[in-house]
């Protein structure tokens, strides 16, 4: 059934990882005292297969935009038109992710995979249709559309890596897209529908109940195909989610580290790990969103989020907010003096008993 | 008894705070969807008395260095000499805080308040003595030294604000300094000695027991004077802690926002809030350290840390790691487009019931 296969994913480099661990013990601080920053630096060294790692030359945010048939069912606080309007906002630099990326030193690319309206040519090269299907009653995509969308994500990852991107941040934009995301997570983690329903960008109790109903119905359809990741994306995902999964799988194939964002990126990551087992070793979870499905996804992927700031926007905002910390983690390994260089005494071992 | 008094601390501006809350509702994102970043931006607007706030022009880390008599009692994994060696490391840019500040766009100043060895003239202008007293058996400072140290911190805050610093990060350097920090926190929060003893930069079980004994003995001396913040700093603090408390109180008097660091800065903050009530409104806790006393201090100050990355270094490292997030919070309010500017639809209210 599945037509698309990814080559095996390599592991980050064990030798570089060990060198980074050893280097952290020589730097002028107690070993381990920078906590998570040390772990992130060690991971980056392993990803880059060198210690110290290179600070990022071209960190890049890629936002996948798409509409969803379920948005007409009252599962979001916003109308579908907002997706296309926000694509325009990304292009003129007025969205949150543009501002956050500016501070973090990253550039932003937006890709229209299935926005319900026409968008500018620069972003619609990979568009497969206008809006994915309403997954509670129909398939999100045809077989050809699913294959095309996954391949698009893969092509985009290749293009970004070939253009020099050395750190990718994945983002999403699409009114209603936390609904298919929750369905994908529930299907792959064996969770009940009510356990994965969240408030998205901010819905009231009535919308929450409508969303729970849509997720329940879509999940019934999804479970039948949950063993086949491409089929799952086709039946219960959407063109944006399929592209994101292809993008994440290919980024790992290309040995390029990725910062994940919220629940939508997290759901695509769960599927990408099925498409390309081991891909998760190339990812860091930038932020944990309040969406319950995000927690399930991160737990299944064994990813510990760097930040927990109660953000629930998407766009890659949670990923890019963690980017400065990743830059710090790299630069610590590059720039800090060693005990020897600075002529500093190490720990007293052992201390005489005194009082 | 107390000789030093601070003028009343003004409240951050309520009008600018309200303007920032309203502006967040007009920006192209669901209101509240940037979570803590929104709250930080609102706080900055209130501190600067303007909305949107100005992005930082001169963020500045000030590291207060000092040795402590208790360090000879085996309460730290490192020998006292390291404090002076690290002061040199700060000056040549090889320490963690230098690297982290570089990424965050901040500059670093180090001040020797009571290092046990001679340090360079550039940093010893305010030095009051060589090492503060061993607080388990003697006062940390004389009355004159305590007054001089608090005044030094105050003078340094004034000088930094007068030089254009618009965001301060407070840091510490001193082998053994988590011991007096724990004593100050226990004295001001009514905690038991064993509840506040932490592992500092990384001590073993035997050192932990020595540290607990020192804290118990020092706390007995501290409790007698805990109602008088200047006396408390004199008896159970040290010159570095006294300067930090004076610095934090004066920064608030000068209406300048401060990012706090770990347990040492947190203990000084607790005392500063006693010296200048209301000062805490001008502070944000950058990071929560694993030191138990830090949690008590932040709870008493009603400060919620931005980051929790298991860092335990001091130097201002935890504060400066949060600085990029504060910069993001400011720039979001400055640079993001409003719904009107971007021609974007707001939330659908109310949605018709559908299914």
């Amino acid at each position: 059934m599945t037509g698309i296969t990814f080559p095996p994913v390599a592991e980050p480099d064990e030798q570089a990882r060990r060198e980074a661990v050893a280097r952290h013990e020589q730097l002028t601080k107690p070993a381990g005292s920078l906590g998570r920053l040390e772990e992130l630096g060690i991971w980056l060294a392993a990803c880059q297969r060198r210690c110290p790692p290179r600070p990022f030359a071209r960190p890049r945010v890629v936002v996948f935009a798409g509409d969803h048939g379920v948005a007409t069912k009252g599962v979001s606080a916003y109308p579908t038109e907002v997706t296309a309007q926000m694509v325009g906002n990304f292009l003129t630099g007025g969205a949150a992710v543009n501002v956050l990326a500016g501070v973090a030193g990253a550039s932003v690319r937006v890709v229209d995979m299935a926005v319900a309206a026409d968008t500018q040519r620069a972003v619609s090269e990979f568009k497969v249709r206008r809006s994915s299907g309403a997954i509670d009653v129909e398939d999100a995509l045809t077989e050809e559309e699913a294959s095309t969308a996954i391949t698009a994500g893969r092509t985009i990852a290749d293009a970004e890596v070939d253009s020099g991107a050395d750190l990718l941040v994945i983002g999403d934009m699409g009114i209603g897209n936390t609904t298919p995301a929750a369905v994908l997570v529930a299907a792959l983690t064996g969770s009940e529908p009510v356990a994965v329903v969240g408030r998205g960008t901010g819905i009231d109790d009535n919308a929450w109940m409508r969303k729970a109903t849509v997720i329940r119905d879509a999940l019934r359809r999804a479970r039948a195909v949950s063993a086949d990741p491409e089929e799952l994306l086709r039946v219960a995902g959407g063109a944006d989610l399929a592209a994101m999964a292809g993008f994440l799988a290919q980024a790992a194939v290309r040995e390029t580290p990725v910062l994940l964002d919220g629940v939508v990126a997290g759901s695509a990551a769960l599927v990408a790990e099925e498409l390309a087992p081991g891909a998760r070793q190339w990812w860091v979870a930038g932020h944990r969103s309040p969406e319950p499905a995000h927690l399930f996804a991160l737990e299944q992927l064994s990813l510990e989020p760097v930040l927990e700031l109660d953000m629930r926007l998407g766009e890659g905002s949670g990923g890019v907010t963690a980017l400065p910390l990743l830059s710090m983690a790299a630069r610590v390994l590059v720039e800090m003096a060693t005990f020897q260089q600075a002529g500093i005494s190490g720990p007293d071992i052992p201390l005489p008993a005194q009082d």
Side-chain angles (χ1 to χ4, degrees), chain A:
Chain A
M1 174 76 84
T2 296
I4 296 179
T5 56
F6 287 83
V9 172
E11 305 226 336
D13 193 67
E14 181 57 25
Q15 174 67 18
R17 199 190 70 75
R18 275 198 296 260
E19 283 174 32
V21 169
R23 184 164 174 81
H24 264 304
E25 286 175 9
Q26 294 161 2
L27 299 176
T28 47
K29 57 174 179 54
S33 63
L34 287 178
R36 189 75 196 272
L37 289 186
E38 294 193 19
E39 293 170 19
L40 290 172
I42 291 163
W43 172 74
L44 273 177
C47 289
Q48 295 186 4
R49 304 192 183 286
R50 54 176 282 165
C51 177
R54 276 178 304 271
F56 305 121
R58 189 176 150 85
R60 179 80 154 163
V61 185
V62 182
V63 181
F64 293 85
D67 279 303
H68 296 270
V70 294
T72 62
K73 317 257 171 165
V75 298
S76 171
Y78 287 81
T80 294
E81 304 89 83
V82 170
T83 305
Q85 292 165 346
M86 283 299 297
V87 168
N89 199 24
F90 294 136
L91 292 172
T92 51
V97 69
N98 300 104
V99 177
L100 302 176
V103 175
S107 57
V108 178
R109 173 181 182 179
V110 56
V111 182
D112 170 4
M113 291 306 303
V115 176
D118 284 340
T119 58
Q120 290 176 251
R121 209 157 176 188
V123 301
S124 58
E125 179 187 353
F126 295 99
K127 186 164 186 162
V128 300
R129 57 185 278 175
R130 282 179 164 234
S131 188
S132 299
I135 55 170
D136 55 335
V137 294
E138 62 185 346
D139 291 343
L141 305 168
T142 67
E143 281 189 29
E144 190 185 342
E145 287 165 350
S147 167
T148 303
I150 294 170
T151 304
R154 191 172 179 166
T155 304
I156 291 163
D158 276 333
E160 291 299 334
V161 174
D162 291 340
S163 301
D166 48 2
L167 186 278
L168 294 166
V169 182
I170 187 167
D172 67 279
M173 177 68 225
I175 299 304
N177 68 4
T178 62
T179 295
V183 173
L184 295 179
V185 171
L188 289 174
T189 60
S191 309
E192 291 301 321
V194 291
V196 294
V197 190
R199 297 202 173 255
T201 45
I203 53 175
D204 62 19
D205 289 351
N206 286 329
W208 190 92
M209 284 186 282
R210 288 191 293 270
K211 187 172 178 178
T213 303
V214 168
I215 288 175
R216 182 199 63 201
D217 293 350
L219 188 54
R220 202 176 296 138
R221 304 179 64 257
R223 289 218 201 276
V225 295
S226 63
D228 181 333
E230 189 174 340
E231 268 295 276
L232 182 61
L233 290 165
R234 184 181 78 73
V235 169
D240 44 356
L241 287 155
M244 291 171 83
F247 176 87
L248 286 170
Q250 187 64 13
V253 169
R254 296 297 301 273
E255 305 186 5
T256 302
V258 179
L259 265 172
L260 302 180
D261 189 40
V263 67
V264 180
S267 73
L270 263 187
V271 185
E273 176 68 17
E274 301 290 316
L275 289 170
R280 66 183 176 82
Q281 302 169 88
W282 296 88
W283 308 329
V284 155
H287 177 265
R288 184 161 88 77
S289 93
E291 287 286 303
H294 196 206
L295 183 60
F296 293 138
L298 294 179
E299 280 181 352
Q300 181 139 324
L301 292 166
S302 300
L303 295 175
E304 181 73 29
V306 178
L307 301 174
E308 204 161 327
L309 299 172
D310 205 26
M311 293 166 71
R312 47 187 173 80
L313 177 61
E315 301 183 5
S317 58
V320 81
T321 300
L323 177 52
L325 278 60
L326 214 51
S327 296
M328 287 173 167
R331 288 200 180 270
V332 158
L333 279 168
V334 176
E335 297 176 15
M336 269 188 73
T338 63
F339 283 109
Q340 197 175 17
Q341 285 168 335
I344 291 177
S345 314
D348 268 346
I349 306 168
L351 268 162
Q354 287 178 298
D355 53 34

